[in-house]
Amino acid sequence: MLSQETMDIIKSTAPVLEIHGKDITTVFYKRLFESHPELLNIFNQTNQRKGRQQLALANTVYAAAVHIEKLSEIMPVVKQVAEKHRSLGIKPEHYPIVGENLLKAIKEVLGDAATPEIMNAWTEAYGVLADAFISTEETLYKESENKQGGWRFFKDFKLVDKVTENKLVTSFYFKPADGAPLPDYKPGQYITVHVTIPGEKYTHNRQYSLSKAFDGENYRISVKREVVNEPVGIVSNYLHDHLNIGDILPISAPAGVFFYQSKPDTPVTFLAGGIGITPLMSMLQIAVKENNAPINFVQSANTTDLVVFSKPLHDIAQQYSNLNYFELITETSGYISKEFLEQYVDSSSDVYLCGSVPFMLAMIKHLLVIGVSKNRIYYEFFGPSMALDIET
């Protein structure tokens, strides 16, 4: 427990953290990787170079300062981050390293404003926050271990099939290399693949949504090839060009807080932007079996040849009369409009969406305007969690 004096000091730093948070976390990561370069084997360097990870951490630190008196308010964030940490293999011994470098970064950026009282308060507060993450992550590790066929950290999987979906997307099917049973997962969750690329100094971790519902047979991820712009695209291109049937790849247990959770009598809409279709495809396969209410599945793609899973989706729509499937092609019919959503989305619907940040921003704004409650809108970013600046 933190003293009231400590909590008051932490709260007083919130305005400064709101302004200087990203500067602090940028310095933090620089210090961290200079002193512990081995951690580059864990962190996604694309997110580092784009500033995503720095912003995500800054948001988390700021939220901790604001809610320090009632940390339960940020437990959903802790849970989401802990899921990512568990999928990356973060361990308790990493937290003192992070704490040391984060506190030094605060001191470096704030200078004389970082008084001994402030630094002592944040040292104490960091210990409490670290304990919350360590405890939550250990619970998640045990949950994944205790499932039939479950494991902790990474386990070798064999690629058993590789299917071209369109000119940019390929699906990869994996089975445990040891022949053990395949643990189940919630539709919408993701796995982390641990990739060693010849010529690269460090290994690469990438998280990909499982693109089909659990069937006990294999895990499937569907990966979009990215234009190589170092390091962007280095993993997706390696998987497309060099991972072949029979090859072995270390994979984490499925993780994530974005999954299908609607009641059987609730209307549901899925809004997929580009490769954001992958977790929603998994969800739909469960929704049509469990839900008797109307279901809309809307896929937005830039061109016809970039539509993913078109035939399976049309087949599902023919099989289930409560499903309406729409393919909206940007180059011919434009983006998903407010008017389109108003026509097809019941305001009492649960809505699941995934895609680029601009896509999700636009969809959420439209949904709020047409009367869909914020607590019925479920979404997840590609990459680190960042706050959406939504104005209606």
Side-chain angles (χ1 to χ4, degrees), residues 349-363:
S349 294
D350 286 346
V351 182
Y352 299 85
L353 60 128
C354 190
S356 67
V357 171
F359 172 82
M360 292 194 293
L361 271 173
M363 294 304 98

Side-chain angles (χ1 to χ4, degrees), residues 169 171 187-189 208-213 220-224 272-283 297 308-309 354 382:
V169 178
S171 289
Q189 291 190 306
Y208 295 106
S209 298
L210 290 156
S211 60
K212 68 170 183 172
R220 182 181 76 179
I221 60 174
S222 301
V223 180
K224 178 185 175 185
I275 195 60
I277 193 173
T278 52
L280 304 186
M281 188 68 183
S282 173
M283 294 183 190
F297 195 102
V308 188
F309 304 130
C354 190
F382 295 132

Side-chain angles (χ1 to χ4, degrees), residues 56-78:
L57 179 58
N59 288 338
T60 302
V61 173
Y62 173 70
V66 171
H67 299 289
I68 195 67
E69 286 186 307
K70 196 174 182 181
L71 288 175
S72 60
E73 296 289 336
I74 65 166
M75 281 310 295
V77 175
V78 171

